[in-house]
Amino acid sequence: MKYAYYNSCSLRSTGKEYDNSLQHVFKALDIELEEPKNWVCCGSTLAHNASVLLADTLPLKNLAEVEKMGLDEVMVPCTACYNRFKIAQYEHEDDRRIRHEIEDIIGHTFQKDISVLHPLEILALDQNLEKLKTLVKRDLSHLKVVSYYGCLLVRPHKETQFRDNPEYPVTMDRILSAIGIKTLDWSHKVECCGGSLSITRPDVVLDLTSRILDDAKAVGATAVAVPCTFCQLNLDIRQEDLAKRGKTYDMPIYYFTELIALALGIPERELMLGKHFVESEKVLARAT
Amino acid sequence: MPDSNPVPEYELLPGHVSEFSSNIKAMHGIDANMCYQCGKCTSGCPLNEYMDMTPTQVIHAVRLGLKELVLNSNTYWLCVACGTCTSRCPQDTGLLQVMDALANIAMKEGIKPKEPAVAAFYRTGLSLVKRFGMMYEAGVAGLLTLKTGTLARDAGLGIRMLKKGKLDVLPHSQNAGEMKRIFERVAQKEKELAGS
């Protein structure tokens, strides 16, 4: 099994530990990942505000690179990229005129549809879930985790078509449960953390992140699992600022792939948990 | 709500489709007239409390052609495209795309942004993406801090990220030549489409 792997900007900087843990998990599952050579930035949060045409062109340029690799499935771990890829595909399908203009700009005519998948969708496939269960080496059943999905993966659902319920998704919960990690019900699974306002309106972001962390704490979570580099950074780095406002959480924020890697017995030293702002290793040790 | 010139009464007739609204429909495929003002977008919007016009008011104002009022609001600058409005809209109106359309128009027409830092973030970020082919986080943060004069506030955040090795000080280049060509061709194509 092999997927094209859009290992984009954020996975090379703020989310290095996401890329690292993801590679460990897919290696354990014996699934090959290959980066497209001539990829470019997908335009993320920036492009659609300045030019919708640019915002549709950049993802399709990357999908053209996937098609040139001879593959028809691409794994996109960054939710901002995933969202833009899916929206561009949706609008491209919907509007023949745009399709023609963009193919002209990127100098590529699509022969087939490329399937854009988030690693959650791939890991939740029956065969992968079954295999993951057989690979579990470490008991992490003492953790109480809330799965936080955020916005970009699930919304707008007509466009992203993420294979789950957009208001109360359970994919991450299913995967974590399968490998022996308890997940809790809570009400802030798909609330927005304010990601793209992080450096421009930190006041707003502090309000939004504190509401999410309040709910996690209220249901008794000892950790949060996330599938998104913006959510991870925001929920993690802002806890120091929230503590100054009198709100102390000490809530470790893991990429879901880090938790899976840990359950598969990959030692802490091979992961990059030290990159988290909130200390994330103590909670992993079982009280004896 | 921002002060603006009083609206002539004839422009507020029910069912009236304004030129502004028609232009947005032509350029972005969004029909503001589909909205029946149920308010679900506003009730779900996480940024609503910080906005000077609610999303429901914005789409109504677009329909009425109150271009100046809408473009001078902070609503579309604060929109983080979380998609709650659009996902829950019973009329499938596509408010997310209305927000994009407004930001696109404001940036092209040089409207003075109600949230200058957000506008500067988009411009600075995109210019770096164009130059390097990929995002250069430290560069965006640094340039933005200089432009908006928030050095004292942001330096702490940047330093914390640098210490954790979450920011690379120097930019990386990724297929930058081709990226530059794509930006230029998109700009060219937009001119053609606007003229047609």
Side-chain angles (χ1 to χ4, degrees), chain A residues 63-64 67-68 71-72 92 99 103 107-114:
Chain A
L63 290 177
E67 194 172 54
K68 285 180 203 161
L71 295 172
D72 50 18
H92 180 243
R99 181 196 186 114
E103 286 184 340
H108 178 86
T109 309
F110 284 96
Q111 306 297 327
K112 56 186 176 188
D113 290 330
I114 309 288

Side-chain angles (χ1 to χ4, degrees), chain A residues 262-273:
Chain A
L262 288 163
L264 300 190
I266 292 156
E268 278 94 326
R269 65 173 183 279
E270 287 186 32
L271 299 170
M272 296 177 164
L273 300 179

Side-chain angles (χ1 to χ4, degrees), chain A residues 47-56 84 87 90-91 94-95 97-98 159, chain B residues 20-32 62 71 92-109 190 193-194:
Chain A
H48 65 93
N49 283 288
S51 158
V52 169
L53 183 62
L54 182 65
D56 284 347
R84 293 320 310 179
I87 289 179
Y90 182 84
E91 290 180 352
D94 225 32
D95 189 333
R97 188 183 64 151
I98 292 189
E159 281 86 346
Chain B
F20 185 44
S21 180
S22 303
N23 287 345
I24 286 182
K25 190 176 173 188
M27 290 295 287
H28 296 270
I30 299 303
D31 187 357
V62 165
L71 289 178
D92 224 353
T93 313
L95 198 48
L96 202 51
Q97 287 141 296
V98 174
M99 296 294 169
D100 279 353
L102 295 174
N104 282 200
I105 293 167
M107 290 181 82
K108 287 204 173 74
E109 295 189 4
E190 277 181 333
L193 292 173

Side-chain angles (χ1 to χ4, degrees), chain B residues 90-154:
Chain B
Q91 285 289 85
D92 224 353
T93 313
L95 198 48
L96 202 51
Q97 287 141 296
V98 174
M99 296 294 169
D100 279 353
L102 295 174
N104 282 200
I105 293 167
M107 290 181 82
K108 287 204 173 74
E109 295 189 4
I111 303 285
K112 191 175 170 224
K114 195 80 178 282
E115 293 285 336
V118 177
F121 172 60
Y122 297 150
R123 276 190 208 286
T124 309
L126 264 184
S127 70
L128 292 171
V129 164
K130 179 181 175 184
R131 177 148 170 211
F132 297 111
M134 66 180 283
M135 197 33 142
Y136 171 32
E137 278 102 340
V140 180
L143 284 172
L144 202 62
T145 299
L146 291 175
K147 277 187 186 170
T148 56
T150 51
L151 189 64
R153 187 190 75 196
D154 298 337

Side-chain angles (χ1 to χ4, degrees), chain A residues 112-125:
Chain A
K112 56 186 176 188
D113 290 330
I114 309 288
S115 178
V116 175
L117 297 164
H118 190 270
L120 279 175
E121 293 172 302
I122 295 174
L123 295 176
L125 296 172

Side-chain angles (χ1 to χ4, degrees), chain A residues 13-14 17 38-39 41 48-49 51-52 61 101 104 155 158 167 201 207 211 237 274-276, chain B residues 49-50 82 88 92 100 103-104 115 122 133 137 153 160 164-166 168 174-175 178 189-190:
Chain A
S13 53
T14 47
E17 63 271 39
N38 291 316
W39 68 276
C41 168
H48 65 93
N49 283 288
S51 158
V52 169
K61 153 72 188 161
E101 301 294 356
D104 187 36
R155 287 190 303 261
K158 194 174 66 175
E167 296 280 357
R201 285 293 301 267
D207 288 350
R211 283 174 211 160
I237 199 168
K275 284 194 179 290
H276 294 189
Chain B
E49 64 194 276
Y50 311 97
C82 79
R88 294 182 183 168
D92 224 353
D100 279 353
N104 282 200
E115 293 285 336
Y122 297 150
E137 278 102 340
R153 187 190 75 196
R160 273 145 72 192
K164 287 284 181 186
K166 287 215 169 218
D168 289 338
Q174 171 59 36
N175 203 7
E178 192 172 5
K189 194 66 89 180
E190 277 181 333

Side-chain angles (χ1 to χ4, degrees), chain A:
Chain A
M1 191 66 218
K2 181 165 152 183
Y3 292 96
Y5 178 34
Y6 187 66
N7 176 9
S8 52
C9 313
S10 68
L11 277 88
R12 292 162 191 260
S13 53
T14 47
K16 279 174 191 159
E17 63 271 39
Y18 189 12
D19 171 62
N20 171 278
S21 53
L22 189 95
Q23 303 248 21
H24 275 294
V25 172
F26 277 78
K27 196 173 164 203
L29 283 170
D30 216 7
I31 297 174
E32 206 184 322
L33 303 175
E34 188 186 335
E35 282 176 34
K37 279 193 192 68
N38 291 316
W39 68 276
V40 288
C41 168
C42 75
S44 184
T45 318
L46 306 163
H48 65 93
N49 283 288
S51 158
V52 169
L53 183 62
L54 182 65
D56 284 347
T57 302
L58 298 177
L60 293 174
K61 153 72 188 161
N62 289 301
L63 290 177
E65 293 304 318
V66 172
E67 194 172 54
K68 285 180 203 161
M69 293 162 80
L71 295 172
D72 50 18
E73 290 178 302
V74 58
M75 178 167 80
V76 182
C78 167
T79 54
C81 303
Y82 176 86
N83 184 281
R84 293 320 310 179
F85 273 63
K86 287 294 188 84
I87 289 179
Q89 274 188 319
Y90 182 84
E91 290 180 352
H92 180 243
E93 233 169 56
D94 225 32
D95 189 333
R96 290 201 157 271
R97 188 183 64 151
I98 292 189
R99 181 196 186 114
H100 178 75
E101 301 294 356
I102 292 177
E103 286 184 340
D104 187 36
I105 292 169
I106 62 177
H108 178 86
T109 309
F110 284 96
Q111 306 297 327
K112 56 186 176 188
D113 290 330
I114 309 288
S115 178
V116 175
L117 297 164
H118 190 270
L120 279 175
E121 293 172 302
I122 295 174
L123 295 176
L125 296 172
D126 286 346
Q127 71 269 25
N128 293 337
L129 217 47
E130 287 311 310
K131 189 155 182 198
L132 276 179
K133 281 183 197 167
T134 66
L135 294 170
V136 173
K137 294 204 174 62
R138 181 170 176 184
D139 180 5
L140 290 172
S141 59
H142 60 296
L143 295 179
K144 282 184 254 168
V145 175
V146 285
S147 303
Y148 176 65
Y149 298 78
C151 320
L152 298 169
L153 198 59
V154 292
R155 287 190 303 261
H157 195 245
K158 194 174 66 175
E159 281 86 346
T160 72
Q161 296 286 323
F162 180 68
R163 299 170 184 175
D164 205 341
N165 183 317
E167 296 280 357
Y168 201 79
V170 293
T171 306
M172 206 187 323
D173 301 75
R174 276 180 57 221
I175 298 169
L176 295 175
S177 306
I179 55 166
I181 295 173
K182 211 175 290 148
T183 63
L184 306 171
D185 279 327
W186 67 315
S187 64
H188 280 55
K189 280 189 172 185
V190 295
E191 294 298 317
C192 173
C193 76
S196 65
L197 294 173
S198 194
I199 48 174
T200 51
R201 285 293 301 267
D203 55 324
V204 172
V205 167
L206 285 176
D207 288 350
L208 298 182
T209 46
S210 75
R211 283 174 211 160
I212 293 163
L213 292 167
D214 281 342
D215 191 42
K217 203 174 169 183
V219 299
T222 52
V224 179
V226 298
C228 166
T229 40
F230 300 101
C231 304
Q232 199 286 332
L233 180 64
N234 232 355
L235 292 177
D236 193 11
I237 199 168
R238 290 297 173 188
Q239 288 186 47
E240 189 181 323
D241 306 305
L242 289 167
K244 284 180 201 148
R245 281 188 172 188
K247 290 194 150 193
T248 311
Y249 299 100
D250 290 326
M251 182 76 72
I253 314 292
Y254 296 97
Y255 287 105
F256 70 101
T257 45
E258 291 175 321
L259 291 175
I260 301 172
L262 288 163
L264 300 190
I266 292 156
E268 278 94 326
R269 65 173 183 279
E270 287 186 32
L271 299 170
M272 296 177 164
L273 300 179
K275 284 194 179 290
H276 294 189
F277 292 94
V278 175
E279 201 287 324
S280 315
E281 292 190 38
K282 278 185 204 143
V283 72
L284 299 171
R286 288 187 79 90
T288 44

